[in-house]
Amino acid sequence: YTFDSPTLTVLPPSSEELSSKTTTTLMCLANKGFTSDWTMSWKVNETTNKQEAILEKDGLYSWSSTLTLTAQEWTKAGEVTCEAQQNSQTPVTKTLRKADCSG
């Protein structure tokens, strides 16, 4: 039995957070397809940043991962990619381009 691939959504930092200028938090939400053998990772300008996937307890196979960057890291970031991969299969990715974010 194969699960559907998850759909990824990357939420940019809030404007309040960006104006505080200390740290910024991005969240990657995934729905569908969660089994224990999925791993999530983040890439900031092609540098991989492994993160633990957090499984929501609603039983609907929704899961998420957050990435916290310093304001300096965010300033340097051109794009941030969230990646979900099951075993050695082709990963599902979603890229947030900083140019698309306000602020």
Side-chain angles (χ1 to χ4, degrees):
Y1 182 75
T2 56
F3 284 89
D4 291 333
S5 293
T7 304
L8 301 181
T9 306
V10 179
L11 303 179
S14 65
S15 51
E16 294 84 19
E17 201 174 31
L18 289 172
S19 60
S20 73
K21 303 251 190 314
T22 47
T23 60
T24 57
T25 305
L26 292 91
M27 181 176 274
C28 182
L29 301 176
N31 63 359
K32 295 193 306 219
F34 186 89
T35 55
S36 58
D37 51 3
W38 281 89
T39 57
M40 286 184 106
S41 59
W42 290 86
K43 276 186 186 164
V44 181
N45 297 339
E46 302 303 314
T47 306
T48 301
N49 185 331
K50 282 277 180 203
Q51 293 288 328
E52 196 65 41
I54 317 289
L55 175 59
E56 301 295 330
K57 296 286 186 273
D58 57 11
L60 296 174
Y61 298 118
S62 63
W63 37 300
S64 63
S65 176
T66 55
L67 176 70
T68 303
L69 299 174
T70 65
Q72 189 176 22
E73 286 172 321
W74 174 249
T75 301
K76 290 180 183 170
E79 56 182 37
V80 180
T81 300
C82 175
E83 192 171 274
Q85 187 172 25
Q86 186 180 33
N87 301 328
S88 56
Q89 295 180 36
T90 307
V92 181
T93 63
K94 178 74 176 184
T95 299
L96 176 75
R97 289 171 51 81
K98 196 175 152 212
D100 298 338
C101 298
S102 54

